[in-house]
Amino acid sequence: MSQVVEEKPDIVAASAVERSATDLEVGLPGEKVEGLERVESARSNVMDELAKGESVSYDDLPIIEVTPEENKKVLRKLDLLLLPLTMVAYTLQYIDRSAMSYAAVFTFRKDLKLTPDQYSWLGSLFFFGYLFFEFPGSYLLQRLPLSKTMGASILIWGGLLMCMAAPTHFAPAAVIRTLLGCSEALVTPGFVLLISRFYKREEQPLRVGLWYCCNGVGSFVGALVSYGMGHVHVASVRPWAWIFIVNGGITVLFSIIFLWLCPENPQTCRFLTAHEKRIALERVRGNKSSLGSKEIKWYQVKEALCPWIDPQGWVYFIIVFTIAVPNGGIGNFLHLILQSYGYTAFQTILIGLPQAAMQVIFPLSGAYIARKVPQARLFVLMAYMLPSLVGVIIQYKTRNSGALLFGYYILGSYVASLGICFAAPGANVAGYTKRVVVGAMVFVAYATGNIVGPHFFISTETPAYRSGMFACIICFTITIPMALLLRLYYMRENKRRDKLAEERGEGAYDESRGDFSDNTDVENLSFRYAL
């Protein structure tokens, strides 16, 4: 067979394509794989090119029929591999990022002789590092192997977190916090790119929601770890230092597992058979996007950055910024807000656990609704802003302890909306370079908002953090109309494309048809935006 392929590749290609349907219908499972391999081996090394991250077009990759049973089996395998990896990584990321917040309810601020301003700056400096490294990090994610780059990032941030146990004053802590932000800048955009390589557009919000809800899991687990570490007394080691040492050590160990298990794309997933790898590729054909390209395409950069060509990147920038400002303030002062009600350090950690549980429920339920209700993503984004808006109004208007605690527990509903925004580049942006750039814009907005946010929260204010709560009210009221405008833009654009398709006689839109060419959503008029 190999000799025939070498001598007459075109003839073999044609005959292999003709035989593939028969092989799939009547052959045994082993013969099905052979039939698929005959098609692919005669198509100019398509699989080898894809494994290297090259763009593969519709013509290069023949369509195969995938049964519902095969689809479910492959999806289940992908979920069993990718969801634990991303969910554990995100849990650890949140614990590590919030470790300083837990340490602050003990003697961390006193031992480092921090002023209120310096503590706020430590919160902001993490996101200065995050912001500084966002575009260089996006470049690395496109040019280097995605999974290996992310695994190295996890390893580095775990090591840096352990170093946070060492500082005795502001300056070294500031340096470590900045570097920690640089190392974590790759994680969320990297996960968005990873999810877009393995899952259909309609499957992505739920998967992103699953790993994003691990912020709440991290908050819950981190609180319990911090409660336990606060009781550890070892000579010359301050109790809060164990929070950094233990959490950082666990992250370093996990990074080794991540590097070993995480695949680069469906063709490098060792837990799939040859036939299942081919099905995994066919499943994402309807995404109408390249699975990876190492070439920087400058026209796609321009398209992402110019709102008169495509405004969605800047709309998401505004939405994410207006969510991230409250996130930066609330995230860094979360436990101090609760402590301001009059609780002790250990009471603060335990009473805050229901709030951590709500941070699991909000993004998980939001992602589930976005997955199950057609065209509901932006409605979910708007709806889940409302409890947070009510929560900050309560914090601003009253000092009634029961009302304050209720408002505190619902403060975090905005994380579901943030999860929708993080999933957007993978679902609504085609063209690999453009997707990377829009993803970077989203996370630049996220970092910038988190830098600004802590400085609205003034610990000497009475009632506590009144300026911060007022800033949150303003931001949350901006987010909702911006999301509505984006939905209206998507609806208008989809209708325009439907009309053009009708004029060309193309018939009804088929979301399952597509290719792996590296065209943008503006170029590809068969692309439809998910609402």
Side-chain angles (χ1 to χ4, degrees):
M1 179 69 181
S2 60
Q3 293 178 346
V4 176
V5 172
E6 292 173 3
E7 294 173 5
K8 298 182 180 180
D10 293 335
I11 296 174
V12 174
S15 61
V17 172
E18 291 171 359
R19 289 197 305 269
S20 62
T22 306
D23 291 333
L24 285 171
E25 291 172 2
V26 301
L28 297 172
E31 292 173 337
K32 290 181 183 179
V33 175
E34 290 174 4
L36 288 167
E37 289 176 345
R38 284 199 294 275
V39 173
E40 292 158 0
S41 64
R43 303 293 275 186
S44 304
N45 299 316
V46 169
M47 296 299 105
D48 291 339
E49 291 171 10
L50 185 62
K52 295 174 184 175
E54 302 296 333
S55 177
V56 177
S57 71
Y58 175 87
D59 290 333
D60 289 329
L61 194 61
I63 296 174
I64 64 168
E65 294 296 328
V66 178
T67 67
E69 292 75 18
E70 289 176 322
N71 179 65
K72 288 180 181 178
K73 181 179 178 181
V74 171
L75 179 60
R76 185 166 58 250
K77 279 195 170 186
L78 292 174
D79 282 343
L80 289 174
L81 174 64
L82 294 174
L83 290 183
L85 288 176
T86 54
M87 291 172 75
V88 172
Y90 224 76
T91 300
L92 293 174
Q93 182 196 37
Y94 188 86
I95 293 172
D96 296 351
R97 181 190 301 180
S98 304
M100 189 180 75
S101 176
Y102 293 118
V105 303
F106 294 101
T107 59
F108 174 77
R109 291 176 293 168
K110 179 182 176 182
D111 291 340
L112 270 65
K113 305 175 184 64
L114 299 176
T115 66
D117 255 3
Q118 286 176 328
Y119 180 75
S120 292
W121 274 110
L122 285 181
S124 293
L125 283 169
F126 173 92
F127 289 100
F128 269 112
Y130 198 105
L131 177 62
F132 170 78
F133 206 68
E134 192 58 54
F135 277 105
S138 296
Y139 176 81
L140 293 177
L141 289 174
Q142 180 160 6
R143 297 292 295 174
L144 300 177
L146 179 62
S147 58
K148 299 298 183 290
T149 304
M150 291 167 59
S153 171
I154 296 170
L155 175 64
I156 292 168
W157 104 54
L160 286 169
L161 185 70
M162 296 175 74
C163 294
M164 274 296 291
T168 57
H169 56 283
F170 173 75
V175 172
I176 295 171
R177 285 284 294 178
T178 305
L179 293 175
L180 195 61
C182 291
S183 64
E184 290 197 29
L186 302 182
V187 178
T188 306
F191 282 170
V192 170
L193 290 174
L194 189 70
I195 290 295
S196 69
R197 291 184 177 186
F198 288 90
Y199 293 98
K200 300 177 182 180
R201 290 202 298 165
E202 63 269 21
E203 295 168 349
Q204 291 173 23
L206 180 58
R207 272 71 190 178
V208 172
L210 283 169
W211 51 256
Y212 194 70
C213 79
C214 289
N215 279 344
V217 176
S219 181
F220 197 91
V221 173
L224 295 178
V225 170
S226 301
Y227 185 86
M229 293 301 102
H231 288 85
V232 175
H233 298 284
V234 178
S236 75
V237 180
R238 293 154 293 190
W240 55 261
W242 291 108
I243 295 173
F244 298 115
I245 294 169
V246 171
N247 290 329
I250 292 171
T251 299
V252 168
L253 291 175
F254 172 74
S255 69
I256 298 169
I257 297 172
F258 188 94
L259 284 164
W260 179 49
L261 292 179
C262 187
E264 184 69 12
N265 56 48
Q267 288 309 111
T268 61
C269 186
R270 65 180 121 189
F271 295 94
L272 298 179
T273 66
H275 182 48
E276 288 169 344
K277 289 176 182 178
R278 184 63 183 83
I279 292 172
L281 288 170
E282 194 63 34
R283 278 174 24 82
V284 296
R285 183 186 294 277
N287 291 354
K288 299 178 175 65
S289 183
S290 168
L291 297 182
S293 173
K294 297 191 186 321
E295 178 188 357
I296 305 294
K297 296 185 176 179
W298 292 105
Y299 83 92
Q300 294 192 13
V301 175
K302 179 182 177 181
E303 191 173 299
L305 294 177
C306 295
W308 56 88
I309 299 175
D310 185 3
Q312 63 173 323
W314 286 105
V315 175
Y316 276 118
F317 183 95
I318 295 170
I319 291 173
V320 171
F321 179 80
T322 56
I323 299 176
V325 169
N327 184 70
I330 293 171
N332 281 287
F333 287 83
L334 185 65
H335 301 96
L336 296 178
I337 292 169
L338 187 56
Q339 198 171 38
S340 73
Y341 303 163
Y343 299 116
T344 67
F346 288 111
Q347 286 175 335
T348 296
I349 289 174
L350 293 179
I351 293 173
L353 289 176
Q355 205 273 349
M358 294 303 291
Q359 287 191 56
V360 177
I361 294 170
F362 282 132
L364 195 58
S365 60
Y368 181 80
I369 294 170
R371 172 71 178 94
K372 291 297 182 181
V373 180
Q375 310 297 333
R377 297 182 195 204
L378 290 168
F379 282 142
V380 170
L381 191 159
M382 290 182 272
Y384 275 78
M385 295 304 302
L386 296 176
S388 287
L389 181 58
V390 171
V392 292
I393 290 173
I394 289 172
Q395 302 296 315
Y396 183 77
K397 294 291 290 184
T398 183
R399 288 292 96 190
N400 179 284
S401 58
L404 284 171
L405 200 56
F406 171 75
Y408 178 82
Y409 288 150
I410 63 173
L411 275 178
S413 71
Y414 68 84
V415 297
S417 304
L418 206 49
I420 297 292
C421 293
F422 287 167
N428 275 337
V429 180
Y432 199 76
T433 300
K434 183 181 178 182
R435 185 186 301 155
V436 169
V437 173
V438 172
M441 291 172 67
V442 166
F443 292 107
V444 164
Y446 179 69
T448 306
N450 277 281
I451 289 169
V452 173
H455 298 282
F456 288 106
F457 284 71
I458 303 167
S459 58
T460 55
E461 277 188 333
T462 303
Y465 309 114
R466 187 173 175 83
S467 297
M469 296 306 167
F470 185 69
C472 291
I473 292 171
I474 294 172
C475 288
F476 288 153
T477 52
I478 292 172
T479 305
I480 296 172
M482 291 303 298
L484 180 60
L485 287 173
L486 183 62
R487 181 181 171 85
L488 293 174
Y489 167 76
Y490 282 157
M491 290 174 63
R492 188 191 71 176
E493 189 62 22
N494 285 348
K495 286 180 181 177
R496 183 180 74 85
R497 296 181 182 206
D498 287 341
K499 184 177 179 181
L500 288 173
E502 185 179 347
E503 290 172 354
R504 293 194 299 263
E506 294 179 0
Y509 169 67
D510 184 357
E511 64 179 16
S512 67
R513 304 287 293 186
D515 59 52
F516 298 98
S517 59
D518 195 25
N519 294 322
T520 70
D521 50 286
V522 172
E523 286 180 290
N524 185 359
L525 293 178
S526 68
F527 188 95
R528 298 295 184 275
Y529 295 101
L531 303 178

